[in-house]
Amino acid sequence: AGYVGSALVPMLLDAGHRVTVLDLFIYGEQVFSDLSGHPKLRQIKGDIRDQKLVQAAVEKCDTIIHLACISNDPSYDLNPSLGRSINFESFKPFVEEAKRAGVRRFIYASSSSVYGVKNEDEVTEDLLLEPLTDYSKYKVLCEKELARARAPGFVACVVRPSTVCGYAPRQRFDVVVNIFTNQAFHNGKIRVTGGPQKRPNIHITDMCRVYLHILQQPDEKIDGKIWNAGDTNYSISELAEIVRDQFDGHIIIETAPTNDPRSYHVCGKKIFSDIGFELKFSIRDAVCELASALKAGKFEDPMNNPLYYNIKQMQRVNLK
């Protein structure tokens, strides 16, 4: 029931799947209010660190799409012990419980940050992993745990998403494209720290389409595979310009120095060559859709409301 899950669940239901959601719902229990009473949706409020709850959640499921984590470096750094317990220590028991329950497929959402900073023109899935932060290090360790768990009848694959952007029922305004769109809409200016650093992004609908596409593939096409999701690598300055150009009038871009020179870029060709997945939506599409949602008043105080900011909401609910 997080950012991606809030968009993915309706798409899974539309495709005819039965869906179980296991989530703490700290960003609001209304995420799936439009789906209330849906006969194919089961919602379980709770923590993936609760083994009994996990056992109940995975019962009768044939596929797990594991999205749960304290996402991104700043949120993780807020409480590293919390991040470790949710992102890593709970992972192996979850996988083991899935296998015991007869789950046949396990799809894990890792991160494109596992590569670290690379100089290669194309950062492909076979390059050495050099994670720079605890968040990305634990993503790597979970990938390895899942690889060890692979067995006949238990198909496992890994997706390494770019940063997701665009509109979703559980909105985030603390990722770069969404931050810039929010600033442009409310302030008429965008604040860029640094500028030349590259950040790979993917439209949230394409991110959801990746998971649906994987579900449609035969076991032999996905078992043991690792794919980057996203192939759009703009610098932060270029992202600001894309956002600016989607607004009427004059949006000012202010640039400030940064002590964070990290620059990430990824190549998304392998998922197309392996299983034929193609991106359909652009960063411009994401900005336009999010701007339309802002104009329509779909958010309550989007510049300040903690519900749209992971760190603020984690602090407000005192997540432990």
Side-chain angles (χ1 to χ4, degrees), residues 114-116 118 124-125 127-131 140 143-144 160:
V114 297
Y115 298 109
K118 299 292 189 188
T124 58
E125 292 85 345
L127 291 183
L128 179 68
L129 303 185
E130 298 178 295
V140 173
E143 288 189 19
K144 292 179 178 178
R160 293 172 178 164

Side-chain angles (χ1 to χ4, degrees), residues 19 27-28 68 129 173 180 182 226 245 249 299:
V19 181
Y27 300 102
L129 303 185
F173 282 115
F180 289 169
N182 202 19
I226 298 173
D245 293 345
F299 312 110

Side-chain angles (χ1 to χ4, degrees), residues 122-309:
E122 294 195 338
V123 177
T124 58
E125 292 85 345
D126 56 355
L127 291 183
L128 179 68
L129 303 185
E130 298 178 295
L132 299 176
T133 64
D134 283 346
Y135 167 76
S136 51
K137 287 174 185 175
Y138 288 129
K139 287 292 188 183
V140 173
L141 291 175
C142 288
E143 288 189 19
K144 292 179 178 178
E145 288 284 2
L146 186 58
R148 283 191 286 267
R150 279 179 61 217
F154 187 72
V155 171
C157 69
V158 171
V159 177
R160 293 172 178 164
S162 298
T163 299
V164 181
C165 60
Y167 171 73
R170 189 261 130 165
Q171 188 60 46
R172 286 185 66 180
F173 282 115
D174 55 0
V175 286
V176 61
V177 171
N178 298 356
I179 291 171
F180 289 169
T181 305
N182 202 19
Q183 289 177 346
F185 181 83
H186 286 99
N187 299 336
K189 65 176 66 174
I190 297 168
R191 179 175 174 82
V192 173
T193 53
Q197 318 98 296
K198 283 190 174 181
R199 291 291 184 270
N201 279 265
I202 183 171
H203 190 293
I204 192 163
T205 303
D206 276 336
M207 187 68 257
C208 296
R209 290 180 58 246
V210 168
Y211 296 118
L212 267 74
H213 194 78
I214 290 172
L215 292 178
Q216 295 167 359
Q217 307 306 309
D219 288 351
E220 63 271 16
K221 285 277 193 177
I222 68 171
D223 192 23
K225 295 298 179 66
I226 298 173
W227 291 298
N228 294 335
D231 199 22
T232 308
N233 302 284
Y234 291 108
S235 71
I236 294 177
S237 291
E238 288 172 328
L239 290 172
E241 291 165 3
I242 289 171
V243 172
R244 178 193 62 194
D245 293 345
Q246 304 314 304
F247 284 84
D248 296 330
H250 300 287
I251 302 295
I252 299 168
I253 297 177
E254 296 180 342
T255 302
T258 180
N259 57 5
D260 180 8
R262 291 175 299 152
S263 184
Y264 300 117
H265 58 287
V266 297
C267 174
K269 294 178 181 177
K270 184 171 182 285
I271 194 170
F272 172 73
S273 61
D274 283 356
I275 58 173
F277 178 82
E278 291 185 272
L279 299 172
K280 282 189 175 180
F281 300 94
S282 68
I283 305 305
R284 289 175 177 82
D285 293 329
V287 175
C288 288
E289 291 162 14
L290 189 51
S292 294
L294 285 163
K295 290 175 185 175
K298 291 190 176 183
F299 312 110
E300 183 181 341
D301 191 15
M303 290 294 285
N304 303 295
N305 191 335
L307 280 177
Y308 309 123
Y309 299 87

